[in-house]
C-alpha cells in the first residue's frame, strides 16, 4: 500500500473512495454489469475519461500474434490461447501513462486464456468491468464478474481466462 500511495501521489489519480463490495474473490457478485455495485459504473466512467485524454493511440488487432506481441511489450511474457471463435477475436487496448502508473482497458471479443510469466518488475491491479474472468496463480485463484478485483503477484506466474464479453481496467504500478 505505501508503494501504491507513492505511485499515485502527483499522478492526478484520486484514491478518495473505495467500496468493499467491489472485491469479489469468491465470485458472489453477478457476472454482468447489471446488479454490479454503482461504484463500478463510476470507476469505469472515470477511467474511460482518463483514457480518452491519452496521447497514446489505441491498439486494435484481429491478429492474435500481433496482439500478443503488444501485450508482451507492455506487460510480460505470456501465452495467449483463443478459447472462443477465432473469427471473433479483436483485441482492444487503450492505455495512458501517469508517472509510475499505467492505466489501461483491455478486451478480446472472444474467450481467451492468458498464461503470464511473473513480471518481476511491477504490480498489476485489475478490475473486471464487464464479462467474467477466472484467475489462478499456483494453488490460489478466484473468479468473478463485474467488480472482481485482482492484484497480480509480481513474483509468480498467473493464468487468466476471460469471457468473450470481458473488459478489464488495469493499473500497472512500476
Amino acid at each position: 500500500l505505501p508503494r501504491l500511495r507513492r505511485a499515485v501521489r502527483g499522478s492526478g489519480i484520486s484514491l478518495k473512495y473505495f467500496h468493499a463490495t467491489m472485491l469479489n474473490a469468491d465470485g458472489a457478485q453477478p457476472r454482468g454489469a447489471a446488479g454490479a455495485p454503482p461504484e463500478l459504473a463510476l470507476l469505469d466512467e472515470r477511467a474511460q475519461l482518463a483514457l480518452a485524454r491519452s496521447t497514446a493511440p489505441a491498439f486494435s488487432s484481429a491478429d492474435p500474434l500481433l496482439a500478443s506481441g503488444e501485450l508482451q511489450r507492455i506487460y510480460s511474457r505470456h501465452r495467449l490461447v483463443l478459447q472462443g471463435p477465432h473469427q471473433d477475436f479483436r483485441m482492444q487496448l487503450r492505455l495512458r501513462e501517469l508517472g509510475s502508473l499505467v492505466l489501461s482497458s483491455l478486451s478480446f471479443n472472444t474467450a481467451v486464456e492468458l498464461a503470464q510469466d511473473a513480471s518481476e518488475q511491477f504490480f498489476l491491479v485489475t478490475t473486471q468491468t464487464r464479462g467474467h474472468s477466472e484467475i489462478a496463480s499456483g494453488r490460489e485463484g478466484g473468479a468473478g464478474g463485474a467488480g472482481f478485483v485482482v492484484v497480480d503477484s509480481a513474483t509468480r506466474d498467473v493464468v487468466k481466462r476471460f469471457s468473450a464479453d470481458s473488459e478489464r481496467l488495469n493499473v500497472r504500478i512500476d
Side-chain angles (χ1 to χ4, degrees):
L1 196 56
R3 186 174 176 189
L4 176 60
R5 285 191 182 116
R6 282 193 305 276
V8 168
R9 194 173 306 126
S11 70
I13 292 178
S14 171
L15 289 179
K16 293 178 186 172
Y17 189 78
F18 183 80
H19 196 278
T21 60
M22 291 178 67
L23 295 176
N24 187 16
D26 63 357
Q29 287 286 340
R31 287 183 172 212
E39 294 82 6
L40 182 62
L42 182 60
L43 173 67
D44 189 36
E45 176 185 312
R46 297 263 172 96
Q48 296 309 321
L49 286 171
L51 288 166
R53 292 190 299 263
S54 175
T55 57
F59 178 87
S60 179
S61 179
D63 179 346
L65 290 176
L66 188 61
S68 182
E70 183 68 3
L71 287 176
Q72 183 168 317
R73 184 183 72 77
I74 296 167
Y75 297 111
S76 62
R77 288 185 17 194
H78 63 273
R79 180 179 45 83
L80 176 68
V81 178
L82 301 184
Q83 303 288 311
H86 186 279
Q87 68 271 16
D88 292 344
F89 180 83
R90 174 154 301 283
M91 188 180 93
Q92 301 282 333
L93 176 66
R94 297 184 337 164
L95 60 97
R96 182 173 180 197
E97 292 186 32
L98 302 159
S100 61
L101 303 176
V102 177
L103 176 67
S104 65
S105 67
L106 177 64
S107 63
F108 296 100
N109 203 49
T110 194
V112 299
E113 178 179 281
L114 192 61
Q116 288 180 257
D117 291 352
S119 72
E120 302 289 335
Q121 300 172 5
F122 60 82
F123 289 92
L124 187 65
V125 180
T126 64
T127 302
Q128 190 75 29
T129 56
R130 290 175 188 69
H132 187 262
S133 64
E134 299 172 14
I135 314 293
S137 182
R139 292 168 40 182
E140 298 177 18
F148 178 50
V149 175
V150 176
V151 178
D152 284 9
S153 171
T155 59
R156 294 191 330 203
D157 296 350
V158 63
V159 176
K160 304 173 180 181
R161 291 180 189 87
F162 303 113
S163 64
D165 61 344
S166 173
E167 184 173 354
R168 297 194 61 78
L169 175 64
N170 305 313
V171 178
R172 188 180 89 186
I173 305 166
D174 293 330

